[in-house]
Amino acid sequence: MSLPTTIEARACCVPRVTSSLTVDDAERVARVFKALGDPTRVRLLSLIAAGEGGEACICDLTEPVGLSQGTVSHHMKLLADAGLVTREQRGKWAYFALDRDAMDAAAAALRLS
């Protein structure tokens, strides 16, 4: 039995995917998007981005999100582990800044080429 000419003439099973992320890159990107999957963490990133010099002290992040310092510290650890923020200890306070390269890489992972 033969297929109709219109179907036979089509290129069947031509690879449409020309590149993909490596397994390591996919795991790294997944950690980033998992960290971004929580609204509180997205808000924290927004607060840091809006902070003077693009950074914020942990002490300035608790009130705007309405959470304890311990809970905010936990969220910030997840963001730091995902590579989205850098942490600098200044005396007893931790200051966080966005890692612009990591943010750009996360956005690039979604771009179509």
Side-chain angles (χ1 to χ4, degrees):
M1 176 177 187
S2 70
L3 296 173
T5 307
T6 56
I7 295 176
E8 286 181 293
R10 290 185 193 166
C12 181
C13 301
V14 174
R16 296 173 64 98
V17 177
T18 57
S19 67
S20 67
L21 293 172
T22 66
V23 172
D24 289 343
D25 287 343
E27 288 174 359
R28 180 183 47 77
V29 171
R31 273 193 307 274
V32 168
F33 288 121
K34 185 175 181 179
L36 292 172
D38 183 281
T40 298
R41 290 192 283 272
V42 173
R43 288 188 65 213
L44 289 167
L45 287 175
S46 176
L47 289 165
I48 293 166
E52 187 176 327
E55 68 176 14
C57 176
I58 191 80
C59 63
D60 294 325
L61 298 174
T62 56
E63 185 179 325
V65 295
L67 298 171
S68 71
Q69 185 174 335
T71 301
V72 172
S73 291
H74 171 74
H75 284 297
M76 293 310 302
K77 180 180 181 339
L78 294 174
L79 290 169
D81 288 348
L84 292 168
V85 297
T86 58
R87 181 182 186 278
E88 181 183 339
Q89 193 71 34
R90 298 181 194 164
K92 73 176 199 170
W93 297 109
Y95 284 77
F96 294 90
L98 294 185
D99 185 318
R100 300 278 181 194
D101 291 337
M103 300 293 277
D104 290 344
L110 297 177
R111 287 192 195 109
L112 301 175
S113 33

